[in-house]
Amino acid sequence: MAHIQQQRLRVPYKDAAGGRTGGAISFSTADSSLPKSGYTYTVTGPDNITYSNLSSAVAANSFDNTDNKVAGVQTSSDTSYQYFTVNYTPATQTTSLVVDSNSPVKAGSVLASSLGATSATISLPYTDASLSTAGYSYVVKGPNGSNYSTLSSAVAANSLYDATNNTGTTDSSAQVFTVSYVAQYQAAALRYDASGPISAGSTKATASGTTGGTIAFAGVTDSNLASAGYTYTVKYMGTDAPDSTAYTTLSSAVAAHPRYDATANSGSSDASSQVFQITYKTNQYASLFTDSTDTSSNSVLSYSAINETTNGPASSAISFSTTDSQLARSGYSYVVQVLNSAGSVINSYTTLTSAVAAQKYDIPQMQRMQRPTLKCNVSRLFMHHKRLILRTTTMMKTVKRLRQR
């Protein structure tokens, strides 16, 4: 009589079957019930050969012929089971750390990725320190759809690789950690120079926005910064982009530094706001005028009066629209005298150009022009053409007598 043999499928113990020596083995378990998500499997038969599925392993083996007796008496149990072992191999899973496509910085970047086996512990080669970006805060959305304030907390809450069915190193549904950056609060101020003559050290206006945003001082323009009797410059004092330029307008200063900086701030306060400093200087004036008579108190022929006033900040260069070519008169030479506020002559120059080049706005200055009659040329004519001068003198006396009549 054939002996009854029993087989077990180790997964651990999953199923058992009994039959007679040499008979076909049949389990109630089928291949359709063996797959597990995230794993592949093979079956090793009692012949120590590994098969791709249970059906092929069973087909290649039959009940063995062990002598199942106890104390010489045949029993209905098997003293040596034939085992079919199901071997599960975890699939390769993938996780990645990416930046949201709408992020203000690093948009769409893949920061890191890693491979691991199904249900193994996730380990990303990236840290919160690496995520930190000046001027921005961030949140991390885990594969479970929840948001976390740090990468470490997101990974801790999603610590295991999932169990998707994958082939090779390709993951059909990778676990993704998504970083979303948020621009932090930033501030700017328009402030008066602490040593200036107007509103020293006070704040004219403030503005606020977020990192990388456009700076705009609402309601403040160059026209309402203008103050009678003063000129002003605007200097950017921010440490993010040091600039020694003294801009002549607010608009040009802001155009040179149009964006909020990236200091690390919390809430709606900025520990290091960007300052635009307004420096006012009192205007100084200079006047240019001509005399209608020459150094001999005679009227200048074809006299055309010039009376021009210009102004500028202290220590800056003086500039008139009048030029030396406009001052020149046929038959005359001229000097330009610089007078102080008391009317005393400080210096004399042979041209307006040289006079202006030597002067700066510091105290109110009067630039005065006088035209003596042929001052240099008369000396030479007197030496070589004495008669001519005498005739001229006579003619001048005649003119005087006519005037006296």
Side-chain angles (χ1 to χ4, degrees):
M1 184 176 72
H3 300 296
I4 296 175
Q5 309 292 339
Q6 295 183 343
Q7 320 302 324
R8 284 185 180 173
L9 180 65
R10 289 183 181 170
V11 196
Y13 176 77
K14 174 76 174 175
D15 198 358
R20 296 184 181 277
T21 300
I25 299 170
S26 178
F27 291 107
S28 59
T29 299
D31 279 296
S32 58
S33 65
L34 290 179
K36 292 182 65 176
S37 182
Y39 295 85
T40 57
Y41 75 93
T42 58
V43 178
T44 301
D47 55 1
N48 288 323
I49 296 175
T50 299
Y51 301 87
S52 60
N53 52 47
L54 176 61
S55 58
S56 57
V58 168
N61 289 271
S62 58
F63 285 110
D64 63 10
N65 58 359
T66 54
D67 186 5
N68 299 317
K69 292 181 179 180
V70 177
V73 179
Q74 186 68 47
T75 66
S76 59
S77 62
D78 195 336
T79 58
S80 180
Y81 282 81
Q82 292 167 266
Y83 288 102
F84 289 78
T85 303
V86 180
N87 311 296
Y88 285 99
T89 302
T92 298
Q93 308 294 340
T94 302
T95 187
S96 59
L97 178 65
V98 304
V99 179
D100 181 12
S101 60
N102 295 318
S103 174
V105 289
K106 304 178 183 178
S109 299
V110 178
L111 303 178
S113 61
S114 65
L115 301 176
T118 299
S119 297
T121 300
I122 291 175
S123 177
L124 273 170
Y126 222 79
T127 64
D128 283 293
S130 301
L131 283 179
S132 179
T133 299
Y136 296 87
S137 58
Y138 64 88
V139 294
V140 180
K141 185 177 183 179
N144 61 353
S146 296
N147 289 325
Y148 303 88
S149 60
T150 61
L151 174 61
S152 57
S153 59
V155 172
N158 300 267
S159 60
L160 301 179
Y161 285 102
D162 62 9
T164 52
N165 291 318
N166 302 316
T167 301
T169 58
T170 301
D171 193 336
S172 60
S173 182
Q175 291 161 273
V176 178
F177 292 83
T178 303
V179 182
S180 295
Y181 284 96
V182 179
Q184 292 178 328
Y185 174 90
Q186 305 293 343
L190 183 60
R191 190 173 298 160
Y192 293 102
D193 190 336
S195 60
I198 297 178
S199 303
S202 64
T203 298
K204 169 71 173 176
T206 59
S208 62
T210 56
T211 301
T214 301
I215 296 173
F217 294 105
V220 182
T221 63
D222 284 294
S223 60
N224 56 38
L225 283 180
S227 183
Y230 297 88
T231 56
Y232 69 90
T233 56
V234 180
K235 207 169 187 180
Y236 180 68
M237 311 299 287
T239 57
D240 61 308
D243 186 354
S244 61
T245 305
Y247 296 93
T248 57
T249 61
L250 172 63
S251 57
S252 59
V254 172
H257 302 275
R259 302 287 177 184
Y260 286 105
D261 62 11
T263 51
N265 299 314
S266 178
S268 57
S269 63
D270 189 344
S272 181
S273 62
Q274 293 157 267
V275 174
F276 291 81
Q277 179 177 278
I278 316 166
T279 300
Y280 283 92
K281 287 187 177 180
T282 305
N283 267 355
Q284 302 295 333
Y285 292 83
S287 294
L288 172 68
F289 61 89
T290 56
D291 280 344
S292 60
T293 59
D294 61 25
T295 53
S296 300
S297 299
N298 297 316
S299 297
V300 176
L301 298 178
S302 302
Y303 173 71
S304 179
I306 291 176
N307 193 339
E308 180 184 352
T309 299
T310 185
N311 66 81
S315 301
S316 65
I318 297 171
S319 177
F320 291 108
S321 62
T322 302
T323 64
D324 281 297
S325 62
Q326 293 172 278
L327 297 177
R329 292 288 183 273
S330 178
Y332 296 90
S333 62
Y334 63 87
V335 293
V336 178
Q337 295 177 327
V338 180
L339 310 180
N340 61 20
S341 58
S344 301
V345 177
I346 302 172
N347 281 305
S348 294
Y349 301 89
T350 57
T351 63
L352 175 62
T353 301
S354 59
V356 168
Q359 304 301 313
K360 300 287 185 184
Y361 286 111
D362 49 8
I363 59 173
Q365 298 178 22
M366 305 292 287
Q367 311 294 345
R368 183 176 180 182
M369 167 166 289
Q370 296 182 334
R371 293 174 172 167
T373 304
L374 295 171
K375 181 178 181 182
C376 295
N377 292 338
V378 168
S379 297
R380 291 196 293 270
L381 288 171
F382 185 79
M383 292 167 62
H384 302 293
H385 302 283
K386 189 173 184 178
R387 290 181 182 178
L388 178 61
I389 293 301
L390 291 173
R391 288 175 185 173
T392 303
T393 302
T394 302
M395 289 176 64
M396 291 176 66
K397 288 180 179 179
T398 301
V399 170
K400 285 183 178 180
R401 285 197 299 272
L402 287 172
R403 287 179 178 174
Q404 290 171 356
R405 291 176 186 174

